[in-house]
Amino acid sequence: MMSNRTWRGLGAGLLAGAMWGLVFLAPELARGFSPAQLAAGRYLAYGLIAAVLAAPSWRRLHGVLGRAEWIGLAWLGFTGNILYYLCLAGAVQLGGVAMTSLVIGLLPVTITLAGSRDAGAVPLRRLARSLLLGVAGLVAIGWPALAAARGGTLSDGLLGLLCALGALGSWTVYAVTNSRWLARLGGVSGHEWSLLTGVATGALALVLAVPAFLLAPQAHAAPEWAWFAAGMGTIALLCSVVGNALWNAASRLLPLTMVGQVILFETLFALLYGFMWERRWPAAHEVLAMALLGAGLFASALAHRPQALADEAVDRVTAM
């Protein structure tokens, strides 16, 4: 049986994935706007909302955090928000939701590998089954999608793939760094850390907004701007404020090797929302892919059971 702590961590990770899956639709809903404009708009809204929510605790938090923490927050805001969303929006617009979901879906592998040497981490051999199931699921969903890529040029497809790989790398760095910050922070809750990350990200978005909006050649009508503002505000609230707070809760309740597997929820929800947007049922290979991804997550949960970890400890002592 899994512990109550593990169940709560999985629940928080599932809800975070449900929120984050929405970000894959945002570039489709606002295709007339550039990736830089999407990132600047979303994170300006995130920074404003976060600043308002953090205001009642600002004096206490300011006394707890030092120079190192603020530098860390700026780095997290850049890698996990600004750079990640620039790359993701470009990947979706150039290569489509399916291809982007495929590449971003490799996060469980990259985060698990990055966290495999952390204290208390489950050995990789115990996670081999879940990692292989996850990779198999991503191949099942991604190969047909890449073969049937929508009528873009080869250069667009390659550029989209590079953008997706950039998003994968930047968010891997964010997830690992953020988890380690949360492990050593005192006096700051996961939700407060998320809000502070939002404040730092909003400050970075102000710098990005100047070239994104003032130097952009596109002209938009008032209704388009209203749609853009409403969409970015909604994404900022649900994906950044709510989703990040839930993710921080999961990161504190679960070991990093398991947190890497929980990110699969984002891929599953992104696919679900994509099917709803395209108004169709999933194809056979897509059902197979989701089943494999789900099985990989279940296998990871089993590998992290207290009994499994106890058996591993006994095996190590016996082998000495």
Side-chain angles (χ1 to χ4, degrees), residues 6 11 23 73 134 174 180 217-218 279:
T6 300
V23 304
L73 285 166
Y174 164 80
R180 290 171 179 167
Q218 306 103 315
R279 297 181 181 180

Side-chain angles (χ1 to χ4, degrees), residues 98 137 140-141 144-145 271 275 278 280-291:
I141 189 63
L271 291 171
F275 299 145
E278 296 171 2
R280 66 178 179 87
W281 291 100
H285 72 278
E286 292 167 333
V287 174
L288 173 63
M290 288 187 288

Side-chain angles (χ1 to χ4, degrees), residues 38-51 58 70-86 171 174 178 193-209 236 240-241 244:
L38 291 171
R42 173 186 174 183
Y43 292 119
L44 282 172
Y46 179 27
L48 179 60
I49 296 171
W58 186 254
W70 282 110
I71 292 174
L73 285 166
W75 176 247
L76 291 173
F78 176 71
T79 56
N81 292 324
I82 300 291
L83 180 59
Y84 170 72
Y85 202 65
L86 279 172
W171 215 87
Y174 164 80
N178 187 58
W193 186 249
S194 172
L195 294 179
L196 291 168
T197 304
V199 173
T201 304
L204 295 172
L206 283 172
V207 179
L208 177 63
S240 296
V241 177
N244 288 5

